[in-house]
Amino acid sequence: MTTSKASVPQLRRTRLQRWWPTFMVTLTLILVGLLLVLPLLVVLITAFRSGVGPYLQALQTPDTLSALRLSLLTVLIVVPLNTVFGVSAAWATAKFDFPGRSLLLTLIDLPLAVSPVISGLVYVLLFGRQGWLGPWLEANDLKIIFAPAGIILATTFVTFSYVARELIPVMQAQGKDDEEAALTLGASGWQTFTRVTLPNIRWALLYGVIMCNARALGEFGAVSVVSGKIRGLTNTLPLHVEILYNEYQTVAAFAVASLLALFALLTLGLKALIESRTGHSHP
Amino acid sequence: MSIQVQQVSKQFGTFAALHDVTLDVPDGQLVALLGPSGSGKTTLLRVIAGLETPDAGRVLLGGQDITHAGPGERGIGFVFQHYALFKHLSVFENVAFGLKVKRGGQRPAPAIIRDKVMRLLELVQLDWAAARYPAQLSGGQRQRVALARALAVEPQVLLLDEPFGALDASVRQELRDWLRRLHDEIHLTSIFVTHDQAEALEIADRIVVFNAGQIEQEGTPEEVYDQPATLFAYRFLGKANVLAQADGQVTLARPHDLHLHLTSVAGGIPGQITRIHVVGPEARVDVARSDGLGSLEVHVPKTQLGGVQVGQTVFLSAERQVVLPDKAGT
Amino acid sequence: MTSRLSSGRPARRHILPGLNLTLGYTLLYLSVIVLIPLAALVLKAAGLGLDGFWAAINTPRVWSALRVSFLTALAASLVNLPIGLVIAWTLTRYRVPGRRLVDALIDLPFALPTAVAGITLTTLLSPNGWLGAPLLEAGLRVAYTPLGIIVALIFIGLPFVVRSLQPVLEDLGYEPEEAALSLGATPSQTFARVILPALYPALLSGFTLALARTIGEYGSVVFISGNLPFKTEIAPLLIVGKLEQYDYAGAAAVAVAMLVISVTLLLAANSAQARLGRRGQA
């Protein structure tokens, strides 16, 4: 009985079916090619424009190496800090209900709505020479703005929400049954957390850490405001790229950029690996 | 070990989940907490387990007050509705969990843990699955792992929250029979929560009927089925035919307690057959009352149907009927 | 059923441990890293007084920068809706050669430092770049114009739209459209009346996330925009400029204006989404 009714649209559909997927796939590949692949190629080709020698040379200058060191130091401090915070915030907000919980969730997401430049500015206003705590810091010979500490703080602000955001929905969806089961079996709170909760969230946690790491390594706007861009002292890799580019050292700029692009591709690879392990794609 | 619940109340926001509930469960019995969703039965189970703290009242286990003991200190085993198995641990590790988290000197040696876990897995007929992960098991198998895990810590009391709720009908029946046999074997005081009256009637020693945060009735399956204390209990335990309703009293009969007559009988209710539906060996006959007071459902063995037809006028008499106060709101 | 009920409501005493510790740490860390610094910003701007604040932001240059930031972000996020829909649709529905690779690449803008994106797009689109030269010949100047800013923001915002749509498209499956087709709807009717409405919440959420991210974007824009006051100067750049002139209060004033705009947008979009989501569930 359905054949007589459905035959007409179905005929039309089969003709559509023939060209429509091909069209959509082609369009997608063109868009992805233009928007994503082409920029990657530009980085590589420009970096190697003058050959391998100048490329390697650009990566080995003392300024590049010190920028790399500061970037790694920043990541090594910021990512663990935001990870501990993310786990803690997720435990409190996903496993419990309390007054003000939804306000807290909004506040945790707040840094995502703040322009990176403002994320740097707030610390300048707090710790800069003209800032609220500036005179006190100066009197005690402490330096935050135009120093690594400021870069670390600004990066912490920008990547503040990254781990928490991944964990909260996952922990909320998992509910409390597993933890309650562990408690009825005699586990302590810490045992429950390390043996039950942590394994349950391990992929989401790793995912959050990877994305936090990528953003911390690549942050530019916030860091640029607090850094002062003192070569060899307060320069991170992205800031170094900017300086080289503005000095028309194009090959060197893109050589350092290619290093960052490599980190980005590594991030994407790890992310894809996690998604294939969990069978979920994360927004 | 016996369980006593004394005047327990529990409020969630403005919702009174439990209101002044008192209950005695004697040692070694299998008790069903039966009621609709939101009637408080799961909350009571969780209060006994220590997963909820009561606002008022006490919980005693073997005569000892455990109202303020943590869930791990009570000697209870809890089986969750959705099993709550640890997905990252094998079946063996799941069952061993409670033994491995014991502190210092109380933790048994690895060889003893192994023996004990394997014995429990044999008991639930899953020794072959020790190395598997929960995701590789069927629902019924997972539920049995959950049970073995709860038994591993040698609880004094076993608490089961809708243990068969998430299972297919056939598996549910099988697991029900199995749980009853297991209980007869180990005689562990057990309470299970269910909203399925057939389940409660089939395997429980005693049934506690819940409604709106309070106990409506408590008794053996026979007592609550045949002598329901309230209209709510009567309706919740099976199909209820209203024969008469007057002066705040309502007269009720179960479908299999009604007889069909082709000719008028004393006190018989006349009506017309609107539907005959045969379910296996039993015929279900719908009769529209001639006095216009709704319709009645009669269950008779198929062989005794005697060729009645839809549209035929018949007379109904009740072999057994119950008169209960007609409370509003039930 | 009842266990769900009970776990969703506050209990007087919590059985799971650690609320005080984790909530306390969360609030402390939030205050130190986010709330106190933001309060310092607001206080600094408030120090100007209402008139001073108004005077600081009510200049043609500030308005122009705010307008450029807002309009380019809006345009880029709008353009990303169809682009994101095509990509998400194709990735969930059709066999794409190298699907896993393409899918992984979608997140490149998340992972690639914005400064790298900025210099790359500028090189690509500058008057003598691979794409810039032919485009200029065709009469289209991209780099150092608002169009260049929009291109950079399209790059930055794309993954937000695709990643919002993908899970919804996967959940949607084929049943609704097969039902519509079996009822005699044409494919275009089916798309417009059945599929698109089901995607509204995801489109809105992708749009909002992209807008929130791009409205304050700095690194990818600052190279390609050319930074011409009144033409391609974005608000974050104006803040940096004021800082370099030691005009801290002025910088704070513009920052507060930006914050107000983006937070308002986010709240409006959230409530719109909540409304759409409720309709979707009913």
Side-chain angles (χ1 to χ4, degrees):
Chain A
M1 68 175 186
T2 46
T3 39
S4 63
K5 263 191 202 164
S7 60
V8 174
Q10 234 151 39
L11 264 181
R12 221 180 300 157
R13 218 180 145 208
T14 48
R15 227 191 305 140
L16 263 175
Q17 266 171 346
R18 218 172 304 140
W19 63 267
W20 184 247
T22 319
F23 171 73
M24 290 290 278
V25 169
T26 313
L27 187 59
T28 296
L29 291 179
I30 290 173
L31 285 170
V32 169
L34 274 179
L35 279 169
L36 304 173
V37 179
L38 194 58
L40 272 180
L41 288 179
V42 169
V43 173
L44 280 183
I45 290 173
T46 317
F48 285 101
R49 200 168 60 186
S50 314
V52 180
Y55 175 83
L56 290 176
Q57 226 170 0
L59 289 186
Q60 284 165 1
T61 65
D63 286 351
T64 306
L65 291 176
S66 89
L68 177 64
R69 262 195 304 275
L70 181 56
S71 277
L72 292 179
L73 175 74
T74 305
V75 164
L76 279 177
I77 293 174
V78 169
V79 175
L81 277 178
N82 280 342
T83 303
V84 171
F85 161 72
V87 171
S88 167
W91 180 268
T93 58
K95 302 288 181 193
F96 300 93
D97 202 355
F98 46 85
R101 177 177 165 275
S102 65
L103 175 67
L104 179 59
L105 287 173
T106 310
L107 289 177
I108 289 172
D109 275 349
L110 184 62
L112 294 174
V114 175
S115 169
V117 166
I118 299 178
S119 313
L121 171 68
V122 291
Y123 292 108
V124 174
L125 296 178
L126 206 53
F127 301 120
R129 190 168 295 176
Q130 313 278 320
W132 303 103
L133 296 175
W136 182 84
L137 286 170
E138 214 163 347
N140 288 279
D141 209 17
L142 293 168
K143 214 165 154 63
I144 291 181
I145 300 306
F146 303 150
I151 290 175
I152 289 164
L153 276 174
T155 308
T156 306
F157 186 109
V158 171
T159 57
F160 181 84
S161 326
Y162 276 55
V163 178
R165 262 177 79 81
E166 289 302 327
L167 291 183
I168 290 169
V170 170
M171 268 166 88
Q172 213 164 346
Q174 283 170 349
K176 296 194 288 191
D177 278 9
D178 281 15
E179 282 78 13
E180 289 181 346
L183 290 181
T184 63
L185 293 167
S188 67
W190 183 246
Q191 282 174 324
T192 302
F193 175 71
T194 55
R195 297 188 184 208
V196 175
T197 311
L198 218 45
N200 272 344
I201 59 168
R202 65 192 189 277
W203 293 115
L205 182 63
L206 185 59
Y207 187 95
V209 165
I210 286 171
M211 295 317 279
C212 180
N213 180 69
R215 182 75 198 263
L217 191 64
E219 179 46 31
F220 177 73
V223 169
S224 134
V225 171
V226 294
S227 135
K229 295 167 199 168
I230 309 162
R231 281 200 202 201
L233 275 180
T234 60
N235 236 4
T236 63
L237 283 179
L239 293 177
H240 192 50
V241 169
E242 185 203 19
I243 291 180
L244 293 171
Y245 182 82
N246 285 342
E247 289 174 348
Y248 300 103
Q249 300 192 42
T250 311
V251 168
F254 275 93
V256 179
S258 77
L259 197 64
L260 289 167
L262 187 73
F263 279 125
L265 289 178
L266 211 64
T267 302
L268 295 187
L270 277 173
K271 185 175 165 299
L273 199 69
I274 296 172
E275 279 164 9
S276 72
R277 285 297 296 265
T278 56
H280 280 291
S281 63
H282 293 252
Chain B
M1 197 165 278
S2 68
I3 304 167
Q4 279 144 302
V5 175
Q6 297 176 345
Q7 296 172 312
V8 162
S9 294
K10 175 76 185 171
Q11 190 103 6
F12 293 117
T14 56
F15 174 71
L18 291 174
H19 183 68
D20 197 19
V21 168
T22 296
L23 175 69
D24 272 354
V25 176
D27 187 27
Q29 285 208 325
L30 177 58
V31 173
L33 305 185
L34 175 68
S37 291
S39 61
K41 56 195 193 307
T42 293
T43 305
L44 179 62
L45 197 75
R46 290 170 61 84
V47 164
I48 296 171
L51 294 172
E52 304 284 356
T53 318
D55 300 335
R58 299 199 305 163
V59 179
L60 281 71
L61 193 68
Q64 207 180 344
D65 189 340
I66 53 155
T67 315
H68 298 290
E73 307 156 2
R74 302 187 170 204
I76 52 108
F78 199 96
V79 177
F80 289 77
Q81 183 179 3
H82 300 286
Y83 328 124
L85 292 181
F86 307 132
K87 289 176 281 298
H88 63 290
L89 298 180
S90 66
V91 166
F92 180 93
E93 291 295 333
N94 260 284
V95 179
F97 185 91
L99 301 171
K100 289 194 170 177
V101 295
K102 280 189 194 292
R103 265 152 286 247
Q106 291 174 323
R107 188 188 308 141
I112 295 174
I113 292 182
R114 220 183 62 84
D115 281 357
K116 188 162 186 182
V117 171
M118 289 316 290
R119 243 186 310 117
L120 278 164
L121 285 176
E122 273 166 42
L123 181 74
V124 298
Q125 298 151 11
L126 281 171
D127 41 331
W128 54 273
R132 298 212 175 183
Y133 283 85
Q136 297 168 296
L137 302 180
S138 72
Q141 290 165 343
R142 283 180 211 177
Q143 189 60 290
R144 288 184 346 236
V145 175
L147 197 60
R149 183 178 69 178
L151 292 174
V153 290
E154 293 181 5
Q156 315 285 328
V157 173
L158 187 61
L159 306 172
L160 306 102
D161 184 9
E162 300 262 5
F164 317 119
L167 299 171
D168 293 342
S170 63
V171 183
R172 192 185 302 183
Q173 183 64 45
E174 195 184 306
L175 215 56
R176 233 187 242 176
D177 298 342
W178 179 83
L179 180 68
R180 180 66 236 186
R181 281 200 308 275
L182 182 78
H183 185 263
D184 291 342
E185 236 171 83
I186 61 179
H187 281 297
L188 187 59
T189 311
S190 306
I191 303 181
F192 74 101
V193 158
T194 181
H195 61 259
D196 180 345
Q197 85 281 4
E199 196 166 284
L201 291 169
E202 244 176 79
I203 63 172
D205 295 320
R206 289 182 78 73
I207 294 178
V208 182
V209 183
F210 268 80
N211 181 32
Q214 286 178 302
I215 294 176
E216 285 276 321
Q217 189 177 6
E218 198 195 324
T220 65
E222 231 183 322
E223 281 165 8
V224 294
Y225 188 78
D226 288 332
Q227 296 145 37
T230 65
L231 192 54
F232 173 85
Y234 194 97
R235 289 209 154 118
F236 197 75
L237 281 151
K239 170 78 190 170
N241 284 308
V242 178
L243 300 183
Q245 207 162 0
D247 306 329
Q249 302 263 299
V250 54
T251 309
L252 300 137
R254 302 279 187 210
H256 52 82
D257 288 332
L258 291 176
H259 288 297
L260 277 180
H261 306 275
L262 297 178
T263 51
S264 178
V265 290
I269 301 168
Q272 212 173 25
I273 295 179
T274 54
R275 183 166 182 263
I276 299 173
H277 183 63
V278 177
V279 181
E282 187 183 68
R284 300 181 177 177
V285 182
D286 289 350
V287 177
R289 295 172 63 147
S290 305
D291 54 16
L293 292 173
S295 86
L296 301 172
E297 187 178 323
V298 187
H299 294 179
V300 293
K302 194 170 73 176
T303 48
Q304 290 172 25
L305 202 52
V308 291
Q309 304 266 314
V310 171
Q312 203 171 335
T313 299
V314 289
F315 299 87
L316 300 178
S317 69
E319 181 182 319
R320 182 215 296 267
Q321 60 188 40
V322 174
V323 180
L324 291 169
D326 188 1
K327 250 194 287 180
T330 47
Chain C
M1 284 300 273
T2 37
S3 74
R4 290 284 141 270
L5 244 179
S6 47
S7 57
R9 290 161 196 269
R12 208 163 284 172
R13 199 193 101 197
H14 298 284
I15 299 302
L16 280 186
L19 175 64
N20 290 343
L21 178 70
T22 55
L23 186 60
Y25 181 69
T26 298
L27 292 175
L28 178 72
Y29 191 77
L30 177 73
S31 305
V32 169
I33 300 294
V34 179
L35 297 184
I36 293 174
L38 279 179
L41 169 74
V42 174
L43 273 178
K44 187 78 189 177
L48 288 167
L50 209 55
D51 293 339
F53 178 77
W54 184 243
I57 61 165
N58 191 23
T59 72
R61 191 163 168 189
V62 171
W63 283 122
S64 155
L66 287 173
R67 197 166 47 237
V68 170
S69 276
F70 178 68
L71 289 180
T72 52
L74 188 69
S77 305
L78 284 174
V79 172
N80 263 332
L81 289 179
I83 295 181
L85 184 55
V86 166
I87 294 176
W89 181 270
T90 307
L91 284 178
T92 38
R93 289 292 174 102
Y94 306 126
R95 293 171 59 94
V96 181
R99 206 198 88 90
R100 284 180 55 131
L101 185 69
V102 174
D103 191 67
L105 267 181
I106 298 296
D107 287 322
L108 182 69
F110 280 151
L112 192 70
T114 51
V116 175
I119 65 166
T120 305
L121 292 173
T122 311
T123 304
L124 191 60
L125 293 164
S126 70
N128 52 6
W130 295 357
L131 289 181
L135 283 172
L136 193 62
E137 219 153 289
L140 200 62
R141 225 184 133 83
V142 183
Y144 318 126
T145 69
L147 193 59
I149 303 177
I150 293 174
V151 171
L153 296 183
I154 289 174
F155 176 83
I156 296 296
L158 179 66
F160 291 95
V161 179
V162 177
R163 294 303 186 217
S164 296
L165 283 168
Q166 263 177 328
V168 180
L169 281 171
E170 269 161 29
D171 280 353
L172 191 63
Y174 291 90
E175 270 186 24
E177 74 184 89
E178 283 173 351
L181 289 169
S182 78
L183 292 167
T186 65
S188 54
Q189 281 176 323
T190 304
F191 181 77
R193 298 190 186 196
V194 177
I195 295 170
L196 209 52
L199 298 180
Y200 283 157
L203 283 168
L204 182 63
S205 122
F207 173 79
T208 312
L209 289 170
L211 190 65
R213 174 75 162 83
T214 53
I215 207 166
E217 176 55 21
Y218 178 71
S220 62
V221 174
V222 72
F223 298 96
I224 203 169
S225 72
N227 309 327
L228 292 169
F230 300 107
K231 286 208 172 68
T232 58
E233 187 178 56
I234 53 169
L237 194 82
L238 193 66
I239 295 174
V240 172
K242 285 188 183 292
L243 266 183
E244 278 166 1
Q245 294 156 18
Y246 305 105
D247 179 8
Y248 292 104
V254 178
V256 166
M258 273 192 79
L259 267 185
V260 168
I261 293 175
S262 47
V263 169
T264 310
L265 275 176
L266 266 187
L267 290 181
N270 276 353
S271 73
Q273 207 184 344
R275 226 173 304 137
L276 271 178
R278 264 201 302 280
R279 205 182 63 188
Q281 277 167 2

